[in-house]
Amino acid sequence: MHKVIIFNKTGYDPFLDFIKAFAILSVLLGHTFPYLEETGYSLWYGMQVPLFILIQVFHLFKKENYKLNVSQLIKRIFLPYFIVQSILLFALFLHGSDINRLIMEILNGGGIGPGSYYPWIYLQFAILLPLIKPFFDQGSKIKLAVVSLFICESLEITSSLIGLSDSLHRILAIRYLFLIYLGWIWVKDGIVLNTKTLLLSLLSMGAIVYFEYFYVPTEPWFYDTAWKTHRWPCYFYVSTLLCGFLYLIYNKTKELSFFIKMTRVLAKCSYEIFLLQMMAVAIMPEMNFIQNNLLRFGMRFTLIWAFSIIGGYYFNIIYNKIIKK
């Protein structure tokens, strides 16, 4: 068995759009579907943030020269984030939520709503990646793998020894650092599927199963956190075998014009969809007036998805028109 999936390093790559589309739908599913452990959440649709980070690393590392554009970062990432957070804060305040509690939630967790930590993770990677790119450009795979594993495991031990709070750990990028090495591998080799990478992926998958279903505290070797499966042993499976499965699905569907069109729309508007689902999940009422549990769940689920995707689509169009003026 030997298969190599090569990404386009000089132009548009529709498979990356497919991964982004899968990741944003996984965000919605993960934040609206109640049976996470029963559906193997951590093995597929619970890896949305690692997938987004892999794409971020790939896009930056594929460029020979890259400089952080602070203005673009503010306009593209943080201005729409602050707009949504402001609206959400005002809406919850009008609904009767205590303003002091809301402000403390923002200060402790980086924002209100599911996934509100992600822009802060994105920012840390946006700052860090240009700084370390020269070291990766000159390094070998073995050397960089050893250094990356050493740093990641040292951070696990340090987090454990100092008793890092989960609220701070939530907004720090340290649990995702090994994805830098794996994203660099995407640039250098693509996704390589052979006997060795399959075995490593299965070991990585085994780590996910252990941390999700059989975990007992193993500090200081692994920091005891709510983010059990977002740590370095779990990511090789994500970057290799999981994305290999996604490529298989992509290959089977890439001739379907409607499917590809929807994939591009979801990928293009993924950030705006993410922002609006944060708002929708936080403010959508539980609809307790509906007596049937299944119908109540289905109604709320449908409204959140519709508001997030349709709203995200128009948010993307309107916001980009405004900032281009």
Side-chain angles (χ1 to χ4, degrees):
M1 173 189 174
H2 187 81
K3 169 77 175 177
V4 180
I5 302 166
I6 299 295
F7 294 99
N8 187 342
K9 291 183 280 188
T10 58
Y12 172 71
D13 192 321
F15 178 48
L16 288 175
D17 266 3
F18 183 87
I19 296 175
K20 285 180 71 175
F22 170 79
I24 194 57
L25 292 178
S26 295
V27 170
L28 286 169
L29 190 60
H31 291 159
T32 55
F33 191 70
Y35 301 106
L36 302 184
E37 288 190 2
E38 294 85 347
T39 52
Y41 170 72
S42 295
L43 287 166
W44 56 296
Y45 66 106
M47 289 298 173
Q48 61 281 80
V49 171
L51 289 172
F52 278 126
I53 292 173
L54 281 167
I55 293 171
Q56 182 183 2
V57 174
F58 173 83
H59 279 311
L60 193 149
F61 274 15
K62 74 178 183 180
K63 299 174 182 177
E64 290 189 13
N65 299 301
Y66 177 84
K67 290 185 178 180
L68 177 62
N69 188 328
V70 176
S71 174
Q72 185 68 18
L73 183 65
I74 292 173
K75 287 193 294 186
R76 181 69 188 95
I77 302 298
F78 281 96
L79 186 54
Y81 176 70
F82 290 135
I83 290 171
V84 169
Q85 284 290 304
S86 299
I87 295 171
L88 184 52
L89 179 65
F90 185 64
L92 290 173
F93 174 68
L94 289 180
H95 194 258
S97 296
D98 180 67
I99 189 65
N100 293 323
R101 184 188 64 79
L102 292 173
I103 291 173
M104 287 306 299
E105 185 177 343
I106 292 172
L107 294 176
N108 288 329
I112 305 171
S116 57
Y117 65 91
Y118 173 68
W120 304 107
I121 301 292
Y122 185 95
L123 172 64
Q124 291 166 71
F125 273 94
I127 295 171
L128 178 63
L129 291 175
L131 298 177
I132 65 174
K133 185 178 184 299
F135 298 100
F136 276 83
D137 288 340
Q138 299 171 9
S140 67
K141 283 193 288 187
I142 297 298
K143 178 182 177 181
L144 290 171
V146 171
V147 171
S148 298
L149 289 172
F150 176 78
I151 291 173
C152 292
E153 182 54 28
S154 296
L155 288 169
E156 289 273 354
I157 294 171
T158 302
S159 299
S160 175
L161 292 177
I162 67 174
L164 185 68
S165 67
D166 244 16
S167 59
L168 182 57
H169 187 254
R170 180 177 187 264
I171 60 173
L172 291 178
I174 56 176
R175 65 183 179 274
Y176 296 118
L177 291 181
F178 192 59
L179 292 163
I180 298 175
Y181 173 75
L182 297 172
W184 175 75
I185 291 293
W186 274 16
V187 176
K188 188 174 180 63
D189 297 333
I191 299 173
V192 179
L193 298 168
N194 56 30
T195 303
K196 182 178 75 173
T197 60
L198 178 60
L199 289 174
L200 288 173
S201 292
L202 292 175
L203 284 172
S204 180
M205 183 190 295
I208 294 173
V209 172
Y210 166 72
F211 285 120
E212 182 61 46
Y213 297 102
F214 304 103
Y215 176 70
V216 292
T218 52
E219 291 189 309
W221 308 113
F222 291 105
Y223 170 56
D224 192 10
T225 173
W227 306 90
K228 293 182 291 187
T229 58
H230 282 200
R231 56 176 101 233
W232 69 262
C234 305
Y235 295 142
F236 191 84
Y237 155 75
V238 178
S239 70
T240 308
L241 190 57
L242 177 58
C243 285
F245 280 127
L246 292 179
Y247 185 78
L248 183 65
I249 299 170
Y250 162 75
N251 245 354
K252 297 290 185 181
T253 57
K254 66 180 181 181
E255 301 303 326
L256 304 174
S257 58
F258 175 77
F259 188 86
I260 294 301
K261 183 179 179 180
M262 290 304 300
T263 296
R264 289 180 179 176
V265 169
L266 288 170
K268 180 182 178 183
C269 305
S270 60
Y271 187 61
E272 290 78 13
I273 294 171
F274 159 75
L275 292 177
L276 288 200
Q277 67 81 35
M278 233 172 14
M279 183 187 299
V281 174
I283 66 176
M284 189 68 67
E286 294 297 329
M287 300 186 179
N288 292 323
F289 61 89
I290 301 176
Q291 298 300 314
N292 184 279
N293 290 337
L294 185 59
L295 182 60
R296 182 167 62 247
F297 163 74
M299 181 64 71
R300 189 171 187 272
F301 181 92
T302 302
L303 287 175
I304 290 174
W305 278 63
F307 176 80
S308 302
I309 294 175
I310 298 172
Y313 172 75
Y314 284 106
F315 185 13
N316 175 274
I317 292 174
I318 295 168
Y319 180 77
N320 281 296
K321 281 184 179 179
I322 292 173
I323 64 174
K324 287 178 180 177
K325 288 183 178 180

